[in-house]
Amino acid sequence: MSLLIQSIVLGLLLGGLYALLAAGLTLYFGVMRVVMIAHSAFLILAAYLAWFFSTETGLDPLLSLLVTVPLFFLIGVGMQRLLISRLRPATMTMMSVLLTFAIALTIEGLLGYVFTGTQRRVRLSYGGGDFEVFGANIAVVKLIAFGLAAVSLLVLYLVLTRTRFGQALRATIQHPEAARLVGINTDRIAGYGFGIGLATAAVGGTALSLDSTIYPSLHWHWIGPLMAIIVVGGLGSIPGAAIAAMVLGLGQSLLQIPLGTTWAQTFFYLALFATLMVRPQGFFGGRLAQRF
Amino acid sequence: MASEYLLELEDIEAGYGRAALVLRGLTVKVPPATVVCLVGPNGAGKSTVLKVASGMLTPRSGTIRVAGQDVTGFNPQKMLGAGLSHVLQGHSVFKEMSVEENVMLGAYSLTDRAEIAERVDFVKDLFPMVAERWKALAGALSGGQQKQVEFARSLMVRPQVVLLDEPSMGLDPKATAIVFEQVVRMRDAGTAVLLVEQNARRALETADLGCVLDLGRVHISGPASELLADPQLAELYLGGRPATPTTT
Ligand SMILES: Nc1ncnc2c1ncn2[C@@H]1O[C@H](COP(=O)(O)OP(=O)(O)OP(=O)(O)O)[C@@H](O)[C@H]1O
Ligand SMILES: [Mg+2]
């Protein structure tokens, strides 16, 4: 019984991180029709930066956010401006897969070169702390990671729905030509959209570093589930991605009880196949898509 | 320099990428408070004329003037500032936003709150449907209602000239009638309108001036009532070419 509750709680906590990262992927696709394979590579890069920061300075890895979030935002804007926007619109989606695949390999290679392939883990004073929920033990760091993801998603939501910039971004996603005609500089907005997407990887990576052992090729374990989530959620729908993330995260966690970690991962791909067969536009690809 | 025209497109040559030119020396002039209608067969380049006028497509040569001021080469943002507002062919509301958000995005380039509030009152007055469905999701409106939201959005900036690309496309007769009625109301409110229509007879009945576009140039132009009475134009309706094609 406590194992079941533990799995449910862990699944929901993991789902929060998935939701934040999937929101980033959704943004890239929404503003540019880009499939960003390197998203999870940036996630791991941010985790390494958090680890490096805390080992070098002895400070809390969460503080690395002050550097990585603005840094990743700028990298995202630069990437969109200098690379992505050079792709031809007609073949944007396909070519973006190739381009970002190459970027993912480059990041993985650089991490291996600079930090070697050794597995790394942040040492935290509160790393061993846990608390009890209905008899199940949950690590404090997992709750912190979830809180970070949840707060970031909330901020993202408020930015997209309440600010002038958010309005312009949503307009650009929904009808780029009409957006240009009301005076929105859609190129600049797409760049910022990309930057925000990459900033979610910075937050996610820091959250990940709190309770995970990291190594350069770890990103391959993340990109598949994340891609599955945004397809199930309906490409371009942030609420859809968030709901799919929670559901699939929970499913993965529950399946780990009978199947073990490796096989539980297949749940994402089964969900992906089922979605493509039953509802190719994703479960929230209709009304809810592009809502914010 | 003062000009008797609000919008002038002169000797415009334009095309897409490396493909052949679509507009080959086109000239269209729109006087103040006038509806000018551009008719022509599919693929004649009607939408291209409007894209050039709103800055979405930069012409290879030729001059664009708004109220006498040279605006050639302006991007859409600057064209909007110069007083040109473009309503695209097909549907272009932001579907997943409310009518209110759509209309307010029309004022994206404005900063003066009082002015925005005044414009909101103006468009609500001009389009009662927009006021009624203010909080509704734009994508949930009918095609004709969405067109009205697009009109309202395009009028927020108090444009000098509105460019309308086939506003009656896909609408039933009643909605079409409303659209044409509103074109007249826009003109009466002081805005010049450059109207592109497939539904040529109907459009010429509404317009003050008409131009027939074919092969990238204006072949016939004049008062709309004269064009309606022209047998050559009737031939064009049936898919024929003008009797004497010019070759320069
Ligand atoms: N984005 C584009 N890229 C390349 N060619 C284009 C593009 N848009 C239009 N064209 C070409 O330019 C020509 C004129 O197109 P345009 O859309 O201006 O015609 P139109 O008169 O508006 O036709 P319709 O009545 O069908 O709307 C066509 O031959 C078309 O194939
Ligand atoms: Mg057209």
Side-chain angles (χ1 to χ4, degrees):
Chain A
M1 186 59 199
S2 72
L3 184 61
L4 186 65
I5 291 172
Q6 174 137 352
S7 290
I8 291 174
V9 175
L10 286 181
L12 291 175
L13 294 183
L14 180 64
L17 185 53
Y18 279 148
L20 175 65
L21 292 169
L25 280 177
T26 302
L27 273 182
Y28 308 127
F29 188 79
V31 293
M32 294 293 295
R33 293 288 174 269
V34 160
V35 175
M36 171 71 161
I37 302 289
H39 192 54
S40 59
F42 279 103
L43 170 80
I44 304 306
L45 175 62
Y48 263 96
L49 292 176
W51 162 79
F52 183 70
F53 171 82
S54 86
T55 351
E56 290 298 305
T57 63
L59 297 172
D60 194 292
L62 288 177
L63 288 173
S64 71
L65 284 171
L66 296 176
V67 179
T68 54
V69 167
L71 177 70
F72 276 40
F73 177 80
L74 290 178
I75 294 176
V77 174
M79 227 175 113
Q80 191 276 339
R81 279 301 170 83
L82 303 175
L83 294 173
I84 305 286
S85 65
R86 304 287 157 94
L87 299 175
R88 289 202 2 243
T91 53
M92 173 68 79
T93 303
M94 203 173 65
M95 294 308 291
S96 71
V97 173
L98 280 181
L99 178 68
T100 58
F101 188 82
I103 293 174
L105 288 178
T106 308
I107 292 174
E108 180 184 341
L110 284 174
L111 285 177
Y113 180 73
V114 176
F115 298 116
T116 75
T118 314
Q119 303 203 340
R120 310 285 184 181
R121 195 176 178 102
V122 174
R123 272 175 225 294
L124 288 172
S125 54
Y126 51 89
D130 58 7
F131 61 99
E132 236 188 73
V133 191
F134 301 114
N137 282 332
I138 306 294
V140 168
V141 280
K142 288 214 188 288
L143 190 67
I144 294 175
F146 176 83
L148 201 55
V151 168
S152 307
L153 260 181
L154 182 68
V155 169
L156 184 61
Y157 172 82
L158 292 176
V159 166
L160 288 185
T161 54
R162 301 288 156 83
T163 67
R164 181 180 145 85
F165 163 73
Q167 293 265 331
L169 185 84
R170 285 155 63 218
T172 303
I173 291 174
Q174 291 176 27
H175 203 305
E177 282 191 327
R180 281 220 292 160
L181 288 174
V182 297
I184 294 169
N185 185 339
T186 52
D187 290 335
R188 187 187 302 158
I189 295 289
Y192 293 166
F194 224 83
I196 293 177
L198 217 53
T200 68
V203 176
T206 309
L208 181 72
S209 77
L210 297 181
D211 79 325
S212 296
T213 303
I214 54 174
Y215 46 94
S217 63
L218 180 60
H219 67 106
W220 297 119
H221 292 273
W222 282 82
I223 195 62
L226 289 176
M227 287 292 166
I229 285 168
I230 64 168
V231 173
V232 173
L235 284 170
S237 162
I238 291 183
I243 295 168
M246 295 307 276
V247 171
L248 295 187
L250 191 60
Q252 179 196 13
S253 184
L254 285 175
L255 282 177
Q256 278 177 6
I257 305 175
L259 296 178
T261 332
T262 312
W263 284 102
Q265 279 253 357
T266 56
F267 180 57
F268 287 100
Y269 305 106
L270 292 178
L272 175 63
F273 298 148
T275 303
L276 291 179
M277 278 191 293
V278 181
R279 235 187 114 80
Q281 72 274 39
F283 282 92
F284 306 95
R287 272 265 71 86
L288 207 56
Q290 305 173 345
R291 186 65 68 82
F292 59 82
Chain B
M1 185 191 90
S3 168
E4 55 183 313
Y5 296 106
L6 268 185
L7 171 65
E8 297 166 85
L9 301 172
E10 221 169 84
D11 287 326
I12 298 291
E13 291 195 334
Y16 299 90
R18 290 188 203 154
L21 285 174
V22 175
L23 304 181
R24 307 154 182 272
L26 167 128
T27 298
V28 172
K29 300 191 176 192
V30 184
T34 310
V35 178
V36 176
C37 176
L38 207 55
V39 298
N42 286 123
K46 304 181 297 294
S47 296
T48 307
V49 173
L50 300 194
K51 286 184 202 164
V52 166
S54 66
M56 290 177 72
L57 185 68
T58 308
R60 304 233 181 114
S61 67
T63 315
I64 309 170
R65 278 189 291 269
V66 176
Q69 183 207 353
D70 190 338
V71 296
T72 317
F74 276 23
N75 64 19
Q77 261 175 305
K78 287 174 148 184
M79 283 292 190
L80 195 68
L84 287 172
S85 200
H86 185 172
V87 179
L88 291 165
Q89 186 170 351
H91 292 305
S92 66
V93 290
F94 302 117
K95 285 186 194 274
E96 302 295 336
M97 295 192 200
S98 66
V99 170
E100 175 181 14
E101 287 177 296
N102 268 274
V103 172
M104 294 313 277
L105 272 165
Y108 184 81
S109 58
L110 305 180
T111 44
D112 181 353
R113 276 165 189 272
E115 186 187 2
I116 294 174
E118 185 217 315
R119 292 308 287 172
V120 167
D121 289 343
F122 173 81
V123 299
K124 278 183 169 175
D125 209 38
L126 199 56
F127 307 101
M129 188 285 303
V130 168
E132 269 162 43
R133 306 299 301 273
W134 194 238
K135 294 288 176 190
L137 196 62
L141 301 178
S142 75
Q145 292 172 327
Q146 290 189 20
K147 257 303 155 213
Q148 296 192 47
V149 173
E150 290 172 36
F151 284 0
R153 188 175 70 194
S154 75
L155 290 178
M156 285 299 287
V157 285
R158 196 193 301 275
Q160 311 223 42
V161 185
V162 184
L163 312 163
L164 298 180
D165 200 344
E166 305 207 13
S168 76
M169 195 171 76
L171 302 188
D172 67 25
K174 196 163 155 238
T176 304
I178 294 176
V179 161
F180 280 112
E181 196 181 297
Q182 278 166 347
V183 169
V184 172
R185 292 180 73 183
M186 284 187 208
R187 177 196 59 194
D188 295 346
T191 314
V193 179
L194 179 54
L195 174 69
V196 165
E197 265 296 334
Q198 206 57 230
N199 190 348
R201 183 163 294 276
R202 185 61 191 270
L204 286 173
E205 282 166 8
T206 308
D208 304 301
L209 301 173
C211 306
V212 178
L213 184 68
D214 202 1
L215 300 172
R217 327 186 47 160
V218 172
H219 280 269
I220 314 168
S221 65
S225 53
E226 282 179 25
L227 294 189
L228 272 173
D230 189 333
Q232 239 184 14
L233 193 66
E235 192 194 337
L236 214 110
Y237 280 138
L238 306 173
R241 299 244 171 267
T244 50
T246 39
T247 46
T248 37

